[in-house]
Amino acid sequence: MLAIAIVNYRTAEATIACLQGLLHIIPDDCRVHVLDNGSDAADVESLQRIADSHPSLITFVISAVNLGFAAGCNRLIAQILDEPRVDTVLFLNSDTRPDGDFISPMRAALQPEKRVDMVAARMVQLADDAVDSLGITLFRSTLASNRKSEREVLLGPSGGCALVTRRLLDDLWAAHGEWFDETFFCYAEDTDLIVRARWLGYRTAYAATATIHHAGALSSGGPDNDFVLYHGIRNSLWWLRKNAPLGWFIRSLPWFIAMHVAIVFRHVRRGRARVVWQMYRDAIHGLASLRTKRAVIRRSRRVPVADFASWVDPHFYQADYVRRALRELWRR
């Protein structure tokens, strides 16, 4: 049985469009679980109406406060796994738009006998069908980001559209005592979960024919704002502290330094000195508290440490990153 998990935060219109698309394509053995994450009354009422009109297909849960994407997903996972028939869970962003059957090819890509328990889809931008994400790629700079090309190494699926098995979720809980790390709140929590799953010996696949549209960062105000910058960079440092082998990190240190010097320079020039200071201050402050989690992950590894390097793309970062950064600076 398949369960679909969707977290809504002030995006009821987009979430309803997502649900309406899903209702035309979901298989018979499927139930959709929607959590409202502390939105206003109008959002809750709109979602409650569509859930009430499809009681056999949609379960609606309300949180009085915004738990964040990580904790919101965890609340849904706990509810979903109470149903013993569920064997796979599909995480979907509320601003995705299903226009056809993307679920069947994702399920077909699972190979439990080979421990392929995670599947990424082809996410394209709602506005123009340009590639938004083909999963997540971890680059040589130590920064993970949306995979834009099939030539880039696939680390795992983006949390915006990720199919995982119950076995993987149960194993993560047993080994690490968590699914998504709730201290992350949102952003990079999917990277952290994927890397921890890979340390446990799970593998990933990409379903090239599974296409879904994505508006992109709708609930956080768009992809280029202080909230996204703060959580994205802070959490990228936190998942490294939890998961990255020390030897690999030392070898990658020149690229790590180059990337973060570029981040500071770029965003200070854009008038974001305050948020840059806050994100690095809070990231460093939180590193010590991750020591225990790092020890737990290290003890539970089932694959050689050397395997980590094969999960990393050899390029510094996305192919057009330097060109875009230089063009932005030139304009300024």
Side-chain angles (χ1 to χ4, degrees):
M1 180 177 178
L2 171 68
I4 300 177
I6 301 174
V7 175
N8 176 78
Y9 178 63
R10 299 181 178 178
T11 57
E13 184 178 347
T15 302
I16 290 170
C18 177
L19 291 171
Q20 289 171 337
L22 285 172
L23 292 173
H24 290 97
I25 65 165
I26 55 174
D28 294 336
D29 65 332
C30 180
R31 188 168 186 86
V32 184
H33 298 253
V34 180
L35 169 75
D36 182 77
N37 223 356
S39 305
D40 57 27
D43 261 34
V44 174
E45 291 171 7
S46 298
L47 293 170
Q48 189 68 67
R49 280 196 298 271
I50 191 169
D52 289 344
S53 64
H54 301 279
S56 63
L57 296 176
I58 301 174
T59 297
F60 183 46
V61 184
I62 302 170
S63 170
V65 297
N66 181 10
L67 303 171
F69 181 80
C73 283
N74 283 349
R75 181 165 173 181
L76 287 179
I77 293 169
Q79 173 182 282
I80 287 167
L81 297 186
D82 275 344
E83 169 55 68
R85 293 178 298 167
V86 171
D87 57 7
T88 47
V89 179
L90 174 65
F91 298 100
L92 270 186
N93 273 4
S94 61
D95 57 353
T96 52
R97 185 75 60 83
D99 294 326
D101 181 15
F102 69 100
I103 296 175
S104 296
M106 292 187 77
R107 295 178 90 177
L110 290 169
Q111 299 183 67
E113 71 283 358
K114 296 182 179 179
R115 298 186 69 81
V116 178
D117 285 51
M118 301 180 282
V119 178
R122 179 181 179 84
M123 300 177 71
V124 298
Q125 294 175 10
L126 189 59
D128 57 8
D129 283 350
V131 171
D132 179 66
S133 172
L134 310 180
I136 294 173
T137 293
L138 172 58
F139 292 94
R140 192 177 185 181
S141 61
T142 77
L143 206 61
S145 187
N146 286 323
R147 179 174 176 250
K148 296 292 188 177
S149 165
E150 294 184 25
R151 294 187 298 274
E152 294 172 348
V153 174
L154 175 63
L155 180 69
S158 161
C161 184
L163 184 68
V164 303
T165 65
R166 182 193 188 104
R167 175 175 70 171
L168 182 150
L169 292 172
D170 285 342
D171 209 358
L172 282 170
W173 185 265
H176 305 149
E178 63 182 1
W179 296 303
F180 290 105
D181 188 332
E182 297 184 6
T183 63
F184 283 41
F185 193 75
C186 63
Y187 293 107
E189 71 290 299
D190 48 3
T191 302
D192 172 67
L193 182 146
I194 290 163
V195 176
R196 288 188 287 112
R198 299 204 67 165
W199 280 131
L200 295 177
Y202 293 100
R203 300 166 63 200
T204 189
Y206 166 62
T209 59
T211 300
I212 187 166
H213 286 87
H214 183 218
L218 193 62
S219 62
S220 55
D224 187 21
N225 60 52
D226 289 352
F227 180 88
V228 174
L229 173 63
Y230 173 90
H231 288 86
I233 301 303
R234 183 198 67 176
N235 294 350
S236 73
L237 296 172
W238 282 1
W239 83 256
L240 279 171
R241 168 62 172 157
K242 285 179 66 177
N243 291 283
L246 181 59
W248 174 84
F249 180 73
I250 291 172
R251 291 191 299 273
S252 304
L253 194 57
W255 308 109
F256 171 86
I257 293 171
M259 172 56 80
H260 286 276
V261 166
I263 289 169
V264 171
F265 183 67
R266 178 188 181 198
H267 291 290
V268 168
R269 279 182 59 87
R270 299 175 77 189
R272 291 177 164 180
R274 182 185 179 92
V275 70
V276 168
W277 160 251
Q278 290 173 337
M279 74 189 185
Y280 282 111
R281 178 201 63 193
D282 295 348
I284 294 168
H285 180 74
L287 292 178
S289 64
L290 297 171
R291 182 181 302 171
T292 300
K293 290 185 177 182
R294 179 179 177 87
V296 170
I297 294 165
R298 185 175 181 177
R299 289 195 300 268
S300 66
R301 290 175 185 164
R302 298 174 188 158
V303 297
V305 174
D307 282 10
F308 188 90
S310 69
W311 309 340
V312 181
D313 190 273
H315 295 92
F316 175 72
Y317 197 53
Q318 293 173 338
D320 62 343
Y321 172 76
V322 173
R323 178 179 56 81
R324 286 188 288 111
L326 289 175
R327 185 169 58 188
E328 177 183 288
L329 291 172
W330 178 259
R331 285 201 301 265
R332 288 183 176 273

